[in-house]
Amino acid sequence: MPESDSIVIVGGGHAGAQLCGALAAAGHAARVHLVCEEPELPYHRPPLSKSFLKNAGESPLWHRAESWFADAGISLHRADPAVAIDRAKRTLRLRSGAVLAYGTLVLATGARARRLPHLPPSLCNVATVRTAADASRLRDLLGSHRALTVVGGGFIGLEIAEAARALGLTVQLLESAPRLLMRAVSSEVADHVLATHRGNGIDIRLGVAVGSFELAGDRLEALAVDGIAQAVELMVQGIGAVPEHELASAAGLHCENGIVVDEHLRTSDPSILAIGDCSSFPDGTTGRRLRLESVQNANDQARTALATITGTPQPYRAVPWFWSDQGALRLQMAGLVPPDGERHRRDGATPGNFSILHYVGDRLACVESVNAPMDHMAARKLLESGRTVSPALACDPAVPLRQRLVA
Ligand code: FAD
């Protein structure tokens, strides 16, 4: 195989693994190198902040077995991160010194957990959760502590808080915004999530400022909350993630809150693509730049990348969707919550089962569902079809939303 035909994927996460699968199905596996920073085979991250923390015996869930990569002919480079791209020579250098020539390079480098400024990175009772190693460490720490402070009321912070509470720890969650999930869900859904977790005994404090820290050796002893020192036994930082684009920036690729790509996921160098959490792409409807951290986005961008690589480019136009499991709460979103949409509530059979439908003008733009998976599936299909159903019809509790697909 000529080296100019090689497809080198940097990042053995969700997007990289999905692209391997898509390339293998299309008969291109023998051209593929997958370069992984982590020692593990590519695995699913969503369980790491959910069931994995609650079950001591749970192992990471691999995307594919090692034998699958071997049988397909994909060259795996594990625990050997890419350190430099030479765009003129079209080569990639790995930490081990190995140099891989590429025809197409795909950056699927994901994101890294954001950390609180001024807090030393390796304290023995402070954790973040991004990788399987992070989650294993936190699981051990949860087993040996009685109280947890979670900083950040986003999806991952809430999932970890719920898991710790289910394990019997005393849990406090500190959020600087006036409500939970500020950037991701409507106030109706956020209020429901707040009431549910408070009802389960999690002490959630909103609108608080986390300030200075008191350390004793490699241990965090206390942190200031609204200026008042409070003791800490164990702390998790759940304050979001930052796109991993150092490799791309160092190679002179255009980066701005992620690696900037066009609708075919090509970076400012057309022989280099970027997919998944690290890519900043143009939204097909509004034209504004988006960067999404979701399984859906990683899966669908892998498909779009395959089309670009194989010379049949299709613009990336997938409907975004997301889920978060927090104990008995299943939150699901189809579409992105518009800042100034009109909201309508669709009630289910019980008070804890409802959907919020967001309209922009008369267009259905987003549906958030709480313990209403059938609404969610129907909403995805409706949004994909581009059809619109009036709020009065869509919110009629006597008729399943899925029936509106054929109405
Ligand atoms: P990642 O899966 O992060 O993979 C990127 C990989 O690139 C990593 O393995 C990293 O080590 C590697 N890498 C980085 N730099 C280099 C380099 N220089 N060389 C080689 N390798 C490199 N999404 C949902 O939709 N629902 C959920 O419930 C949900 N829960 C989540 C829970 C947790 C704890 C986390 C962390 C994420 C969750 N997500 C969830 C988000 C989802 O997992 C991500 O959107 C998805 O993994 C993105 O895939 P990716 O391949 O872009 O990035």
Side-chain angles (χ1 to χ4, degrees), residues 3-150:
E3 286 181 336
S4 57
D5 273 359
S6 292
I7 301 162
V8 177
I9 303 168
V10 183
H14 204 104
Q18 291 299 117
L19 182 56
C20 284
L23 285 163
H28 299 286
R31 303 164 55 192
V32 177
H33 290 262
L34 180 65
V35 178
C36 308
E37 176 182 46
E38 295 178 73
E40 292 91 355
L41 288 169
Y43 56 85
H44 292 265
R45 288 178 208 277
L48 299 180
S49 46
K50 308 176 182 75
S51 58
F52 186 88
L53 294 177
K54 295 181 194 171
N55 301 305
E58 188 169 319
S59 302
L61 181 64
W62 313 125
H63 281 268
R64 305 200 181 251
E66 187 156 24
S67 56
W68 180 87
F69 289 96
D71 294 348
I74 292 175
S75 306
L76 272 179
H77 306 261
R78 285 159 71 173
D80 196 6
V83 293
I85 303 167
D86 185 330
R87 288 169 52 197
K89 292 187 182 147
R90 291 201 180 186
T91 57
L92 179 77
R93 186 157 49 81
L94 311 191
R95 189 174 59 191
S96 61
V99 174
L100 303 175
Y102 64 82
T104 304
L105 180 66
V106 182
L107 301 175
T109 47
R112 295 202 186 275
R114 183 179 282 119
R115 289 164 191 277
L116 288 162
H118 315 305
L119 191 63
S122 48
L123 296 171
C124 67
N125 62 337
V126 175
T128 53
V129 176
R130 180 75 203 176
T131 65
D134 295 339
S136 293
R137 175 173 174 262
L138 177 59
R139 187 165 66 184
D140 290 346
L141 288 167
L142 291 174
S144 57
H145 288 78
R146 288 158 304 158
L148 171 70
T149 303
V150 177

